[in-house]
Amino acid sequence: MKRILALVFPLMAAACSSNPEPVLWDDPGMKVIMSKKPAPLPLSIAIAPVEIGFTEGEIRSSLKRKHVITKDVDEFRAEAAEILTKTSAFSKVRLLEGEAAGDFRKEMLQKAWEGGDDLVLFLKLHRYETTFEGNNGNYIPSLLLWIMFLFPSWWIADESYGAAVDLEVEVVSAHSGRQVARTTFSASEKRDLDDFDRGWSLLGILSVPSSLDEENWEKVSKVVSPYPITRVQAEFAKFFHEEFPKKTGTPEFPKNMAKTLGMFVGISRYDSYTLHNIKYASRDAEIMHAALTGEGEGKIAPRNAMLLQNEQATAANLTKAVEEFLMARARPVDTVILYFAGYGGFGPGKGGNEPYIMPFDYDHKTGLAKSAIPLSWLKDSVEKIAGGVVVMLDASFCGDGEGRSFSEMKQGASSGQLESLVSGRTRAAALFGAGAGEHALEFEDKQAGLFSFYLVEGLEGKADRDKDGFVIAGELAAYASENVYKRSLLQGDSQKPVIFDGGGAAQVRLSIAKKQG
């Protein structure tokens, strides 16, 4: 028909609709990316369902000249996944299941963490619409056809429509929950359509756009929206191959990716009759877990913390927690906090006599070497997993069976044997609740271990001696040591916590201090 019109009515032929759908992979920028064959970043990314940045009220109040698209919006993330996969932007790309409702982002971060992803990509549509821009003047050939030949002119593109897309892209660390990148892509397009493009409307130009129904608008969107979408997708691909890799090389990126992992263990009841019950050790771990874990700034995210109490804290479970929870998830930029409240032990090991932590199922028949956790193994394990390690032990290793202490030899660990926990580490600190030869006492008035009580009090802000708003490991150790010692003297004993610092770990931040009134 268009060729016939070109011969007979050149003006009419020029007014005919011609809207070939754009192809993303034909975009010059996309061809450059594909030709370079870039190496993927050594990071995995999970893509969350698309969020809608406009409300139902805004949709209902939109004018007849404007149509807000809400159909098939999740295609944006399927296409985003295809782009990132085909262009080899990341080592792994996958889609997260769920709905963009409720506590959506928390749920997505949890799922990404469970799946071992490094990053979560959040896509939010702030605008996705088509608009009627008016008649473009090509209705004149239409009128001529009607007048001269009584012939309908449905193929003449006499109506102008626009489409616009605003897409916000946010990349969040699945480890820390912090944002590592954010940008917005926007594009719009205007196209001339004929009656077939927008769908049948009986009165044509006389009633459009008021006569357009949902089906008409969907047809318009199908023709016009691919143009701005394709441009947004091309910019999206360019961002993840040019801008985002640059961000990963900045000092801020590892800081934003960094997280703190925590394992809190408290054992008040033991399976072996040779170990008497400890009143408050289980409660100490629970309170320490609560003090350091939460959703706020400066807290360990709940998904990154593990609490093991009493029967849960068997030797097998403790070993599994270190190997599968800590070692599997920690990265060189991360900090690991290990807290233990319970019996400390001392006895023969592979390298001679050494200190142990006593699990719930310690077996006095097989002895420490086979049924307890040597601190040397803990040291070797934590050396592999993180940039900063802080170990806090509300236990004692004096060997006389008193004050959270046990020995198979009636002999205690020396100061050097305790310090060996951090020797050779560049950023490891060990806070012992009691020095060599001392007891780890309990604070009856506060129903807590003496050391643990002052740890929690210090973390809340009292240990922030330089008033910079943060409590670091060194400050916490100094605060606990001073106050535990004073209180122990009132209880007729002497307990003075000590810190062994392996190369600057005393500077590790443990909490944000509350303002002291």
Side-chain angles (χ1 to χ4, degrees), residues 177-211:
R178 288 189 286 272
Q179 182 190 101
V180 297
R182 179 189 172 280
T183 190
T184 300
F185 304 110
S186 299
S188 60
E189 180 73 11
K190 184 178 177 182
R191 287 273 154 174
D192 294 335
L193 307 187
D194 61 32
D195 293 1
F196 293 107
D197 290 327
R198 60 145 164 83
W200 177 252
S201 178
L202 181 62
L203 297 179
I205 62 171
L206 300 179
S207 59
V208 171
S210 61
S211 64

Side-chain angles (χ1 to χ4, degrees), residues 56 101 121 250 260 331 402 503:
E56 289 294 327
L121 175 60
T250 64
T260 300
R331 302 291 186 272
E402 301 293 331

Side-chain angles (χ1 to χ4, degrees), residues 52-65:
I52 302 296
F54 39 83
T55 67
E56 289 294 327
E58 290 172 327
I59 295 172
R60 287 194 299 270
S61 65
S62 62
L63 301 175
K64 274 289 186 178
R65 296 177 67 89

Side-chain angles (χ1 to χ4, degrees), residues 121-143:
L121 175 60
F122 291 101
L123 304 172
K124 189 171 186 178
L125 275 169
H126 289 283
R127 186 164 61 143
Y128 185 26
E129 64 188 26
T130 50
T131 53
F132 177 70
E133 300 293 331
N135 297 104
N136 57 18
N138 288 341
Y139 59 85
I140 295 174
S142 298
L143 291 175

Side-chain angles (χ1 to χ4, degrees), residues 94-121:
R94 73 184 185 103
L95 300 179
L96 293 173
E97 298 301 321
E99 295 184 4
D103 204 348
F104 165 67
R105 295 204 165 197
K106 180 180 176 181
E107 178 188 350
M108 293 299 104
L109 287 171
Q110 178 67 27
K111 287 185 176 182
W113 181 87
E114 291 171 355
D117 299 300
D118 297 306
L119 303 167
V120 180
L121 175 60

Side-chain angles (χ1 to χ4, degrees), residues 465-507:
R465 296 191 171 185
D466 60 6
K467 306 301 180 185
D468 66 349
F470 300 96
V471 175
I472 61 175
E475 288 177 323
L476 184 62
Y479 178 81
S481 181
E482 178 182 335
N483 287 279
V484 167
Y485 179 64
K486 289 179 181 178
R487 179 66 197 184
S488 68
L489 295 178
L490 295 177
Q491 295 184 200
D493 208 329
S494 177
Q495 176 184 349
K496 192 168 187 179
V498 294
I499 181 173
F500 298 113
D501 179 16
Q507 299 301 311

